[in-house]
Amino acid sequence: MTTKTQRILDLAATAPARDGEDLLLLLREASELYQEGFEGVRRTVAGRFSGLSIGELVAAANAAGMPCDASQDRSEVLLLLALTEWEMTPAAMAYSGMAEDAARRGVSLIPEE
């Protein structure tokens, strides 16, 4: 069974040889896997930091390089912590590179106006 990370890495490796609708299909699949992976990290981070006060969460986020302050909602700070952790994974880095390359070639999940 292929993991989400492996599938994203496979899609990212295949993407340079694709264009147009084929590339868009790869990008959509990778985006879905990216979102699923991020959601898993978000749940893990929420559990890991569940006992901390908002001040402690803000300190953890700032230490992780994600500026925030105590005026932010607890769920928002947890989301920022999860995003910081997720963005450092091979899956997230591969997807970001894939999406950037596709955008340079005129293919994006977000329609241009």
Side-chain angles (χ1 to χ4, degrees):
M1 182 172 177
T2 303
T3 65
K4 287 178 184 73
T5 296
Q6 185 58 52
R7 183 64 183 148
I8 290 173
L9 293 172
D10 290 347
L11 291 167
T14 303
R18 303 289 177 87
D19 58 16
E21 190 62 32
D22 287 341
L23 179 56
L24 187 59
L25 290 172
L26 292 179
L27 198 55
R28 280 188 184 130
E29 181 180 350
S31 177
E32 289 175 22
L33 294 167
Y34 177 98
Q35 297 302 322
E36 290 172 16
F38 175 68
E39 179 56 25
V41 170
R42 190 199 60 75
R43 284 191 308 269
T44 299
V45 166
R48 186 181 325 134
F49 291 102
S50 65
L52 298 184
S53 70
I54 187 65
E56 292 168 320
L57 285 174
V58 167
N62 287 326
M66 187 63 75
C68 62
D69 59 59
S71 70
Q72 290 176 281
D73 177 271
R74 177 181 188 81
S75 61
E76 185 178 359
V77 177
L78 286 169
L79 188 66
L80 292 172
L81 281 165
L83 185 60
T84 300
E85 188 171 315
W86 173 246
E87 286 181 338
M88 297 178 69
T89 67
M93 288 187 275
Y95 174 75
S96 293
M98 178 184 178
E100 288 171 13
D101 178 62
R104 280 195 234 27
R105 296 190 287 145
V107 177
S108 175
L109 294 175
I110 301 170
E112 298 283 328
E113 291 184 24

